[in-house]
Amino acid sequence: MKIFSCGCSESSNGSMHDVIGENIIRVDGREKVTGQAIYVSDMKLPHMLYGKTLRSPLPHARIINIDISKALKLPGVKAVITGRDIPNVKFGIAPSLADKRVLALEKVRFIGDEVAAVAAIDEDIAEEALELIKVEYEPLKAVFDPVEAMQDGAPLIHEELSSNIYRHVPLECGDIEKGFEQADYIVEDTFKTQSQAHCCLETQCC
């Protein structure tokens, strides 16, 4: 019997419907309902370290200085890094859209932008180390509305670009003019909705 990723099965007679109406036992059901399932956050390995990230409290600011000296002296801290300690490699949702560093180098571009990271022998020490890192910022004018961000003269979030419009992708489908001619009503408006994301049941880990 072949098991497909969609949850359907194909038996030797070629039927794809022999699971319909049947009670299928989950192979991981017992472990999960009894609390015995092991997740990455449950794992304890020899000499394991815990990482924490210091994030920007400002939406747009230049980084003047990062002082990690006190955090490095805290017992139990094994490492503290900033953007200057890692390669200048950018990433994004796709290689052609790579515009984000793992740790900010010269400035932060949103509240929560990653500024520094620590590794310590336990979570409490890692959290305490974050509080000992002192970052000096020069606040910059920020943008909070996408329409305003696209206007001439808006603060540039990525200064190497000519505007805050990162990419213009025109999409055309069908015969628009013919559709207008055949339509009983033509409505033009601006519609807004909340941000959308698929429901991730798995946790992210490495």
Side-chain angles (χ1 to χ4, degrees), residues 14 41 43 73 162:
S41 57
M43 294 179 180
K73 294 177 182 177
S162 58

Side-chain angles (χ1 to χ4, degrees), residues 37-54:
I38 302 299
Y39 296 88
V40 172
S41 57
D42 299 318
M43 294 179 180
K44 301 293 186 292
L45 303 174
H47 312 295
M48 188 169 74
L49 299 179
Y50 293 80
K52 293 287 181 177
T53 305
L54 182 67

